Amino acid sequence: MPLHVPPAPAPALHSVLTALGSPTAVREARTPALRAAQGPVTPELPLALHLLDHITPEGLSATRLTGWRFVIRAGDRPVAAADTVLTPDGWAFSHFFEGPYIPSTERALQQAEALLQPYQPRLLSVPGLYMLTLWLHGDPGADPAEGHPAATDLLVPLAPAPPGIRAHRPHRVSELLPVLTHRATPVPLLGSPA
């Protein structure tokens, strides 16, 4: 079943296109592959980027939309990604970057295309664990800026994943959130009050 990738807000896409057209923005980016790209580059595959603010002991989560991420392609290969953020004036370009999360995201999306159930792909960042997941939301028609991970949604940890969590293995939210809750909870030091 194909994934249902909703369009990014037009101002977010426009801000990335403007940055790509700016020699200064591209030259100053820490993305050698983007600077060296030959021919036209295009922003594709917009994914809503949500932040997992906290997980309660009951496994409930609070998330919020923090931006949109675009894969930047030169021809048929990804060379970078671009993030946008919501400011008081609307969507704005944040930065270009490259690294392992770009091919890992593409791999996870290819795996998700083979699933039988339709999903809406999003990204979910878990900053307390330095973890990024592909969040496969079970309601493909939902507003990508809204909602929280449902128990039956899937989370696919992207590489590099934290120790003990296998990258590219889909987990139901109801299975993975308790693990993340345990890992994200600070352990008291010996001799300190619990």
Side-chain angles (χ1 to χ4, degrees), residues 142-159:
D143 179 347
E146 302 292 326
H148 301 285
T152 57
D153 287 354
L154 295 179
L155 296 177
V156 182
L158 301 180

Side-chain angles (χ1 to χ4, degrees), residues 18-31 34-36 41 93 96:
T18 300
L20 284 170
S22 165
T24 303
V26 172
R27 186 176 54 250
E28 290 179 0
R30 293 187 175 140
T31 54
L34 178 59
R35 289 194 309 264
V41 292
F93 169 75
F96 293 116

Side-chain angles (χ1 to χ4, degrees), residues 168-186:
H168 298 286
R169 182 182 178 276
H171 300 270
R172 292 231 178 267
V173 166
S174 60
E175 298 166 353
L176 188 58
L177 278 187
V179 173
L180 300 182
T181 302
H182 177 69
R183 288 181 158 222
T185 304

Side-chain angles (χ1 to χ4, degrees), residues 19-180:
L20 284 170
S22 165
T24 303
V26 172
R27 186 176 54 250
E28 290 179 0
R30 293 187 175 140
T31 54
L34 178 59
R35 289 194 309 264
Q38 299 294 315
V41 292
T42 56
E44 298 178 359
L45 198 63
L47 294 174
L49 178 60
H50 291 257
L51 181 74
L52 184 65
D53 284 325
H54 68 274
I55 307 168
T56 68
E58 296 80 31
L60 301 174
S61 61
T63 62
R64 61 186 165 89
L65 178 71
T66 60
W68 282 83
R69 179 166 292 170
F70 297 80
V71 173
I72 307 299
R73 289 190 178 282
D76 64 348
R77 65 183 186 88
V79 294
D83 277 357
T84 62
V85 294
L86 189 58
T87 69
D89 295 326
W91 289 101
F93 169 75
S94 173
H95 63 282
F96 293 116
F97 67 95
E98 57 186 57
Y101 286 127
I102 298 167
S104 184
T105 301
E106 289 208 326
R107 177 180 168 189
L109 286 165
Q110 289 170 356
Q111 290 174 309
E113 284 283 347
L115 298 173
L116 299 178
Q117 181 179 337
Y119 288 101
Q120 181 188 94
R122 303 171 175 189
L123 293 172
L124 182 64
S125 174
V126 186
L129 297 175
Y130 301 100
M131 180 179 182
L132 185 64
T133 69
L134 177 65
W135 170 13
L136 298 173
H137 189 53
D139 181 359
D143 179 347
E146 302 292 326
H148 301 285
T152 57
D153 287 354
L154 295 179
L155 296 177
V156 182
L158 301 180
I165 296 176
R166 201 167 118 213
H168 298 286
R169 182 182 178 276
H171 300 270
R172 292 231 178 267
V173 166
S174 60
E175 298 166 353
L176 188 58
L177 278 187
V179 173
L180 300 182

